[in-house]
Amino acid sequence: MRQLKRSPRRPRADAVRNRERVLEAAKAVFSAGGAEASLEAVARAAEVGIGTLYRHFPTREALFEAVYRREVQQLADLAEQLKQDAEPLGALRHWMRSNVKFVATKKGMLSALALAAYKNSELYSYAFDQLTRAVGGLLDRAIAAGEIRHDITPEDLLRALVGMSYMNDQPGWQTSVLRLVDVFIDGLRIRPTDPGREQRSRKHRNRR
Amino acid sequence: MRQLKRSPRRPRADAVRNRERVLEAAKAVFSAGGAEASLEAVARAAEVGIGTLYRHFPTREALFEAVYRREVQQLADLAEQLKQDAEPLGALRHWMRSNVKFVATKKGMLSALALAAYKNSELYSYAFDQLTRAVGGLLDRAIAAGEIRHDITPEDLLRALVGMSYMNDQPGWQTSVLRLVDVFIDGLRIRPTDPGREQRSRKHRNRR
């Protein structure tokens, strides 16, 4: 009897595919429609039965959490890839802009929850740790290349990004936030020829 | 009999002074101790009896709101003064930095409330309108002087500031946030000699 039992650790290939389809559909549905978007709508978008959806994700919260963790993982993977990019500052900007899209999904999912409760959750800690590590690598590279100031931490950067995104609830907020991210990244850059940088201009004066 | 009745519209000078003392003390106490700071502590710091405090502010919420509105008014007044400043960008930076201190008081007062509830309140709309107008004047001046890019709205600026401040709950967060504000203001600046600004360098090339 023992050899006939299928191991619960190895789901069949089509179950893996279905799970992935549900997650991809859920991301799109939540991101567009907010927390009120129904699980039925997700199942329809994924082209699976509602039974299949519930088999993978018994509760609404379980689905939210899986979508959320998957996006965090994707952002971590993206950071790894971007480390190969020849332009450290461009890579950092690219990652920050991608994170704004992640926030869009999160906003949809979290709109029904109080931010305070979310900020104390294990899920938030997990995401914050993962994303801090991801952006930290890109930040270090840009600092090492002498492209940006070195007194901003990965934590600061993430908080700035998430903060800028969460305070903005207007239609078209993503466009505004992407512009703010651009301003922010521009502000990080070191411009040795810039007369407005007091310390540097003082150094120049001393050299004369 | 009529001429003996004191008009309720004209509080005595010491009542006005007491009210002001309570508000100043409350600001300091809330900002340091969070929403748990007791009204007794406020009365002690203001050197008034607890009865006097309750006469002016019958509920904790009434005191919170009065402190809050007073700070908004002070920031609006500050913006008016700063419009006389000879350096438009310096004035904008000064105001943004002062607003971080305002957020410190708010954080203390609002720590017990969910951000979502606050964001839907009449008080929030009032503050947002007042502060948008205040920073808008300073922003317009810096744009007119050709010092900063013109595609950032007062609303964007405020949301960026408040967002950056609210996401940061660590000890010493004010120092981090002031640094982020500096980065952000730096990012707004137009630097005609900057080779990284594509459009402008293209213009330079065309002129040759």
Side-chain angles (χ1 to χ4, degrees), chain A residues 1 5 8 13 15 20 31 33 41 58 64 80 85 93 103 116 122 136 148 158 169 176 182 184 204:
Chain A
M1 223 181 121
K5 214 170 78 184
E20 190 60 22
S31 156
F64 281 178
E80 280 308 309
D85 193 299
R93 192 188 299 266
V103 173
E122 186 273 328
I148 61 170
L158 269 192
D169 283 335
S176 296
D182 283 343
F184 194 82
H204 286 174

Side-chain angles (χ1 to χ4, degrees), chain A residues 119 151 169 179 186 197, chain B residues 119 151 169 179 186 197:
Chain A
K119 279 187 71 182
D151 58 348
D169 283 335
R179 199 157 47 219
D186 237 30
R197 297 223 156 211
Chain B
K119 280 186 71 182
D151 58 349
D169 283 335
R179 199 156 47 217
D186 236 31
R197 297 219 156 214

Side-chain angles (χ1 to χ4, degrees), chain A residues 142-184:
Chain A
I143 291 170
E147 291 195 287
I148 61 170
R149 53 193 280 177
H150 61 270
D151 58 348
I152 300 293
T153 66
E155 289 83 1
D156 282 346
L157 210 57
L158 269 192
R159 288 196 195 101
L161 178 81
V162 175
M164 291 190 291
S165 307
Y166 271 101
M167 286 315 288
N168 199 329
D169 283 335
Q170 313 306 304
W173 67 269
Q174 284 198 53
T175 311
S176 296
V177 172
L178 288 173
R179 199 157 47 219
L180 295 178
V181 167
D182 283 343
V183 168
F184 194 82

Side-chain angles (χ1 to χ4, degrees), chain A residues 193-195, chain B residues 191-196 200 204:
Chain A
T193 55
D194 183 352
Chain B
R191 276 150 286 212
T193 55
D194 184 352
R200 225 162 279 116
H204 286 172

Side-chain angles (χ1 to χ4, degrees), chain A:
Chain A
M1 223 181 121
R2 209 169 156 223
Q3 62 271 35
L4 285 177
K5 214 170 78 184
R6 189 160 27 223
S7 159
R9 299 273 162 182
R10 298 191 55 198
R12 289 177 315 171
D14 62 343
V16 173
R17 259 197 311 276
N18 276 345
R19 188 176 190 278
E20 190 60 22
R21 276 165 71 171
V22 169
L23 287 174
E24 191 60 44
K27 176 181 157 179
V29 169
F30 292 152
S31 156
E36 286 70 33
S38 72
L39 296 188
E40 283 73 17
V42 172
R44 262 198 310 278
E47 298 179 357
V48 302
I50 188 75
T52 302
L53 188 148
Y54 278 116
R55 216 158 30 243
H56 287 286
F57 307 103
T59 64
R60 193 182 183 76
E61 286 68 31
L63 179 56
F64 281 178
E65 183 166 338
V67 171
Y68 187 99
R69 286 184 185 269
R70 180 167 168 270
E71 283 210 66
V72 170
Q73 187 56 51
Q74 285 173 348
L75 278 170
D77 294 346
L78 176 64
E80 280 308 309
Q81 288 164 30
L82 284 169
K83 281 188 193 156
Q84 314 305 320
D85 193 299
E87 293 191 20
L89 187 64
L92 179 62
R93 192 188 299 266
H94 182 125
W95 192 88
M96 291 283 279
R97 292 179 69 103
S98 299
N99 201 339
V100 173
K101 285 174 210 134
F102 169 51
V103 173
T105 322
K106 277 202 293 185
K107 276 176 102 149
M109 291 194 287
L110 296 171
S111 60
L113 304 174
L115 186 64
Y118 162 63
K119 279 187 71 182
N120 294 324
S121 70
E122 186 273 328
L123 194 56
Y124 177 82
S125 310
Y126 161 78
F128 197 77
D129 288 350
Q130 288 281 316
L131 298 177
T132 304
R133 203 169 309 149
V135 77
L138 297 172
L139 193 63
D140 287 347
R141 232 167 58 102
I143 291 170
E147 291 195 287
I148 61 170
R149 53 193 280 177
H150 61 270
D151 58 348
I152 300 293
T153 66
E155 289 83 1
D156 282 346
L157 210 57
L158 269 192
R159 288 196 195 101
L161 178 81
V162 175
M164 291 190 291
S165 307
Y166 271 101
M167 286 315 288
N168 199 329
D169 283 335
Q170 313 306 304
W173 67 269
Q174 284 198 53
T175 311
S176 296
V177 172
L178 288 173
R179 199 157 47 219
L180 295 178
V181 167
D182 283 343
V183 168
F184 194 82
I185 298 282
D186 237 30
L188 288 176
R189 289 169 53 211
I190 289 174
R191 274 150 288 211
T193 55
D194 183 352
R197 297 223 156 211
E198 285 309 317
Q199 237 186 336
R200 225 162 279 118
S201 28
R202 228 177 289 135
K203 263 191 223 157
H204 286 174
R205 270 199 295 278
N206 291 346
R207 261 185 225 143
R208 268 174 220 154

